[in-house]
Amino acid sequence: MSSSSIRSFEYLESLPGTVFNRLYKQPSTALAIFRRMLPQLAKSFVMAMLYMSRPFPVADLDTWVRPGSRREQDTAIDLLERLQILKRTAEPNKPRSYVLTNPFAASLRQALTGGGNHKSFGVPSNTHVEDQVTIHQLDDFARMQWEGVLSYMVGSTGIAMNNEGANLSLSVKHLLQYGRLVEVRGRSVDITQDGFAFVLQEVNAQVWTILVLYLENAEELSMDRVDVLSFLFMLGSLELGQSYSKANLTETQLQMLLDLGDFGIIYQNTPGSDSYYPTRLATTLTSDAGALRSASAGFDTALRSSNDDKGFVVIETNYRIYAYTSSPLQIAILSLFTRLSTRYPNMVSGKMTRESVRRAISMGITGDQIIDFLYTHAHVQMRKNPTVLPPTVVDQIRLWQIEGERMKSTVGFLFKDFLSAAEYEGPCQYASDIGVLKWKNDAKRMFFVTRHEHVATYLKSQKEKRREGG
């Protein structure tokens, strides 16, 4: 699963079964979840069982996976069960088996083979030639609106952002504040730690973060979350540059057109027009192919169809920084932790100081986030060095952060009271393999994880195997 899928998956996982049942009646939703949410092994299981007329025995499925890949198998099965795509059947005198749930299986078959009048993939609109919008115009609109959102978030730097065309509504600003991406103090807008992490994400992940916040906020506005989710998944299957009719949309989805337009995800000639256009931000929602590192670089790459998005930051061992960019957004992000002193048409220079880094840390930005930003945007000449960034600079950034913190809290779950070392080592190693283990004490047979669902499922499956073996 890609990094940009994690938060959307966590939201889906929290939904009750009745919502899944309604969601999976739409072929576009079933296809989007299959394409985006599932790892390759889970996709293989689904395709293998999609046209089976009878349940698939667990023992037969085990023979498909290499002995050294059992953990990947358990993770894939667990994911399919949590998304209510797969369920276990246990009939008298018959082996335990798996079966795909309906309506997911039926909708996915329909999405793959076509047919039907469900209209879940949108209804193309016949737009007059004089009213048609080009892909270039859609990209310009999406870039302007999305960079306007990012510029608002880093606007506390005082850098002139030059986003006069991007009109952010109050609802957009409230949503950013609701998601704790920014903090508003009077007339001042300060980016938070989560906000800085958001800015560093690829565009596709940024869009999904905003959409999950929108979903959570939509429930408070009494919007039908099934309508909201179905429409979002449908957008990922639409064609860029094609206009679509509003005739088959619900009241909730019509309201969404206005809200998503503020983020540059949807374009309308006028709010009262009979059609709408998905932008590149919408059509790449269910595909990692459109996952782009930054808004400006990403759209430029899409327009040029080339891969020349190079780094622009040079940093010396004396903490001097030279950034070869004219992007106001990138300069504003850089100024969050750098004292800029000189600005040229295509370059800015400055210096990282204790005060500038401590100021960023006081806003919630971590030293590791600053290091990640510098590493991600390091100039091509910097990448010729074995460590890319000077080790003295990296160490000093971390030392400046340590000055103000002595303890770090992590929300998670403690597993303890294992009866034997063998009983303890299995789930502990499994938690480490899937990346949720934060701490362990082998002597006391205790370990701490950030998420407990996978580990609990693993313990349950091991218990069932012991029962069958006994």
Side-chain angles (χ1 to χ4, degrees):
M1 188 187 300
S2 69
S3 60
S4 57
S5 302
I6 294 176
R7 188 162 186 178
S8 50
F9 169 75
E10 289 176 348
Y11 178 83
L12 285 174
E13 185 186 12
S14 67
L15 299 176
T18 53
V19 173
F20 276 105
N21 188 58
R22 290 179 58 196
L23 268 179
Y24 289 157
K25 290 181 180 179
Q26 299 295 326
S28 59
T29 300
L31 181 62
I33 290 179
F34 175 81
R35 289 172 58 191
R36 182 176 178 79
M37 301 291 176
L38 303 184
Q40 288 300 324
L41 187 57
K43 290 179 181 178
S44 299
F45 291 160
V46 170
M47 292 305 300
M49 291 184 278
L50 188 59
Y51 290 95
M52 284 186 176
S53 58
R54 63 188 66 179
F56 192 38
V58 173
D60 291 349
L61 184 64
D62 289 342
T63 62
W64 285 24
V65 182
R66 292 178 299 182
S69 301
R70 293 302 181 193
R71 297 191 188 281
E72 289 81 356
Q73 177 187 351
D74 291 341
T75 300
I77 295 297
D78 175 57
L79 181 63
L80 291 172
E81 290 180 331
R82 288 157 64 191
L83 288 175
Q84 302 195 29
I85 295 173
L86 189 71
K87 66 179 180 180
R88 305 186 188 202
T89 61
E91 300 180 9
N93 302 321
K94 290 186 178 181
R96 290 190 305 117
S97 303
Y98 292 117
V99 64
L100 293 180
T101 61
N102 273 313
F104 178 87
S107 293
L108 183 59
R109 285 193 293 266
Q110 190 172 20
L112 295 176
T113 59
N117 59 351
H118 48 83
K119 298 180 181 179
S120 71
F121 290 98
V123 179
S125 172
N126 296 322
T127 307
H128 297 295
V129 176
E130 59 272 15
D131 295 329
Q132 288 182 351
V133 180
T134 66
I135 293 179
H136 181 74
Q137 290 172 321
L138 292 174
D139 281 336
D140 284 344
F141 170 76
R143 180 196 293 111
M144 177 183 67
Q145 292 298 123
W146 195 252
E147 290 198 345
V149 172
L150 300 181
S151 300
Y152 171 77
M153 293 177 60
V154 298
S156 59
T157 61
I159 301 294
M161 299 305 297
N162 191 27
N163 276 289
E164 295 86 353
N167 298 316
L168 296 187
S169 64
L170 286 175
S171 61
V172 171
K173 297 176 181 179
H174 289 159
L175 190 63
L176 296 175
Q177 190 175 359
Y178 169 83
R180 298 179 181 176
L181 302 179
V182 297
E183 288 184 357
V184 179
R185 300 182 180 91
R187 295 186 178 182
S188 173
V189 179
D190 293 328
I191 192 169
T192 64
Q193 177 180 338
D194 290 341
F196 192 74
F198 171 86
V199 170
L200 295 183
Q201 290 177 330
E202 60 193 16
V203 174
N204 192 272
Q206 291 175 342
V207 174
W208 269 110
T209 298
I210 290 294
L211 292 180
V212 171
L213 290 176
Y214 181 81
L215 278 164
E216 294 170 351
N217 197 48
E219 294 178 20
E220 297 181 3
L221 299 176
S222 301
M223 299 175 72
D224 189 333
R225 55 184 172 183
V226 174
D227 280 348
V228 175
L229 279 166
S230 297
F231 188 64
L232 294 179
F233 285 124
M234 182 193 74
L235 290 177
S237 65
L238 301 184
E239 180 182 350
L240 183 64
Q242 171 66 53
S243 63
Y244 292 86
S245 173
K246 297 181 182 178
N248 63 317
L249 301 183
T250 65
E251 288 296 325
T252 294
Q253 293 168 346
L254 290 173
Q255 177 60 42
M256 288 179 65
L257 291 180
L258 299 176
D259 297 335
L260 298 182
D262 292 336
F263 290 102
I265 299 173
I266 292 295
Y267 174 82
Q268 299 182 83
N269 285 319
T270 62
S273 60
D274 296 330
S275 61
Y276 65 94
Y277 288 84
T279 69
R280 196 178 300 275
L281 295 177
T283 57
T284 56
L285 276 175
T286 57
S287 171
D288 285 335
L292 307 169
R293 170 52 56 187
S294 65
S296 57
F299 281 111
D300 289 343
T301 300
L303 292 172
R304 293 194 303 267
S305 298
S306 64
N307 189 25
D308 57 353
D309 179 25
K310 300 176 181 178
F312 60 88
V313 175
V314 174
I315 183 167
E316 299 177 337
T317 54
N318 60 0
Y319 312 109
R320 294 285 304 177
I321 286 183
Y322 303 90
Y324 294 89
T325 179
S326 57
S327 167
L329 178 60
Q330 297 289 10
I331 295 171
I333 294 173
L334 198 63
S335 67
L336 290 171
F337 55 85
T338 306
R339 181 168 59 83
L340 298 179
S341 57
T342 309
R343 182 169 182 174
Y344 299 100
N346 65 338
M347 187 193 80
V348 295
S349 65
K351 186 175 183 179
M352 275 200 309
T353 65
R354 178 180 181 276
E355 290 72 23
S356 64
V357 173
R358 293 287 297 152
R359 183 183 71 245
I361 291 172
S362 68
M363 298 167 61
I365 300 170
T366 67
D368 285 338
Q369 287 178 326
I370 295 174
I371 294 168
D372 288 344
F373 177 84
L374 295 173
Y375 184 89
T376 300
H377 297 286
H379 193 276
V380 63
Q381 294 296 326
M382 297 286 296
R383 297 192 178 278
K384 294 180 180 179
N385 302 323
T387 58
V388 182
L389 301 178
T392 54
V393 174
V394 173
D395 292 342
Q396 188 60 63
I397 292 174
R398 292 194 170 119
L399 286 173
W400 281 330
Q401 177 167 352
I402 291 173
E403 288 180 5
E405 63 179 39
R406 294 292 182 269
M407 183 179 296
K408 180 180 179 181
S409 63
T410 302
V411 178
F413 305 86
L414 180 67
F415 285 80
K416 60 179 183 177
D417 298 333
F418 291 96
L419 299 179
S420 65
E423 187 180 89
Y424 159 78
E425 290 169 357
C428 183
Q429 183 60 45
Y430 178 73
S432 178
D433 291 342
I434 64 176
V436 299
L437 181 67
K438 296 296 291 185
W439 172 87
K440 67 175 181 177
N441 187 319
D442 293 336
K444 295 183 178 180
R445 298 174 187 167
M446 300 167 61
F447 63 92
F448 185 83
V449 297
T450 54
R451 290 183 61 86
H452 68 88
E453 294 88 351
H454 290 79
V455 180
T457 302
Y458 174 83
L459 289 170
K460 182 179 179 181
S461 65
Q462 293 300 307
K463 184 177 180 180
E464 291 178 354
K465 289 180 180 178
R466 286 195 299 269
R467 186 185 301 118
E468 293 175 356

